[in-house]
């Protein structure tokens, strides 16, 4: 390629993936990060659980996995959330679309799942890395991973997430947001990549 998508994020992500074997990617999009992580994990039998509710983007993700000869990406259509019983829909354009709760019937709606419920059903009891780029739904997704985040240091997963001022008011600093407080209460230290 002639460029790297989000080079600082990609650099730290690849460093974190070196010691991972089970990774959850929320907002996997066309695989810009999921494919790179899967390459790193392939030699040791690791798996990338890639959540992308946008059907078109998920198809591109699967095609990119195929083009790269990767069989260790598990594409999922659910949206990561704080419970597994909600229905969401994407509002907005493509990579800037955010999730909105749906009441009643809506043909564009998709099912939610918590990270905890999904991994339990998949028989996965260890999680090494969570990567989230889900346009404002990061806190809800992390609440759904509480059982993993509550584990002691060294057993709890590393987390890399994107946060926009459009969805989270962090004008007083990320630590002074509900998301920041949630993570620090679980023993995490937050760092900003710009």
């Amino acid at each position: 390629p002639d460029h790297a998508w989000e080079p600082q994020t990609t650099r730290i992500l690849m460093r974190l993936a070196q010691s991972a074997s089970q990774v959850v990617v929320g907002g996997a999009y066309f695989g810009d990060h999921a494919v790179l992580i899967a390459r790193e994990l392939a030699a040791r039998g690791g798996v990338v659980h890639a959540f992308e509710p946008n059907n078109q983007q998920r198809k591109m993700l699967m095609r990119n996995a195929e083009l790269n000869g990767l069989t260790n990406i598990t594409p999922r259509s659910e949206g990561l959330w704080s419970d597994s019983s909600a229905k969401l829909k994407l509002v907005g354009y493509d990579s800037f679309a955010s999730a909105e709760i749906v009441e009643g019937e809506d043909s564009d709606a998709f099912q939610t799942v918590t990270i905890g419920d999904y991994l339990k059903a998949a028989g996965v009891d260890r999680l090494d890395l969570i990567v989230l780029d889900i346009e404002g739904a990061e806190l809800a997704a992390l609440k759904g991973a509480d059982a993993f985040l509550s584990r002691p240091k060294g057993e709890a997963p590393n987390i890399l997430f994107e946060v926009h001022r459009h969805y989270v008011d962090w004008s007083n600093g990320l630590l002074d947001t509900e998301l920041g407080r949630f993570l620090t209460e679980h023993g995490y230290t937050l760092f900003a990549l710009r």
Side-chain angles (χ1 to χ4, degrees), residues 124-164:
V124 176
D125 61 1
R126 176 181 164 197
L127 179 58
D128 303 303
L129 178 59
I130 300 172
V131 182
L132 299 174
D133 186 357
I134 49 181
E135 309 306 320
E138 291 80 9
L139 178 59
L142 290 171
K143 285 181 176 181
D146 191 69
F148 289 97
L149 274 55
S150 297
R151 292 184 177 177
K153 186 176 181 176
E155 293 179 33
N158 287 309
I159 304 169
L160 184 71
F161 64 95
E162 187 171 292
V163 61
H164 289 281

Side-chain angles (χ1 to χ4, degrees), residues 4-156:
W5 187 263
E6 300 178 337
Q8 297 85 354
T9 302
T10 302
R11 188 175 294 120
I12 191 72
L13 184 60
M14 296 314 297
R15 182 90 181 255
L16 294 171
Q18 289 175 350
S19 59
S21 63
Q22 294 291 328
V23 178
V24 166
V25 177
Y29 206 46
F30 61 83
D32 50 332
H33 289 133
V35 167
L36 296 175
I37 297 167
R39 275 186 180 161
E40 178 66 37
L41 273 56
R44 58 184 173 279
V47 177
V48 175
H49 308 274
F51 292 82
E52 180 51 63
N54 180 311
N55 293 327
Q56 184 179 11
Q57 293 299 331
R58 193 174 56 261
K59 286 177 186 174
M60 282 195 276
L61 163 68
M62 295 183 317
R63 177 70 176 138
N64 285 330
E66 179 186 336
L67 289 170
N68 283 275
L70 297 168
T71 59
N72 62 333
I73 296 177
T74 304
R76 303 296 303 186
S77 62
E78 300 94 341
L80 295 176
W81 201 247
S82 56
D83 68 70
S84 297
S85 62
K87 293 258 186 189
L88 303 174
K89 71 176 181 178
L90 295 175
V91 177
Y93 178 72
D94 198 36
S95 65
F96 300 107
S98 60
E100 186 176 278
I101 294 177
V102 172
E103 300 293 335
E105 293 299 314
D106 189 317
S107 61
D108 294 328
F110 54 89
Q111 186 61 48
T112 61
V113 69
T114 69
I115 291 172
D117 288 348
Y118 167 77
L119 292 176
K120 182 178 180 181
V124 176
D125 61 1
R126 176 181 164 197
L127 179 58
D128 303 303
L129 178 59
I130 300 172
V131 182
L132 299 174
D133 186 357
I134 49 181
E135 309 306 320
E138 291 80 9
L139 178 59
L142 290 171
K143 285 181 176 181
D146 191 69
F148 289 97
L149 274 55
S150 297
R151 292 184 177 177
K153 186 176 181 176
E155 293 179 33

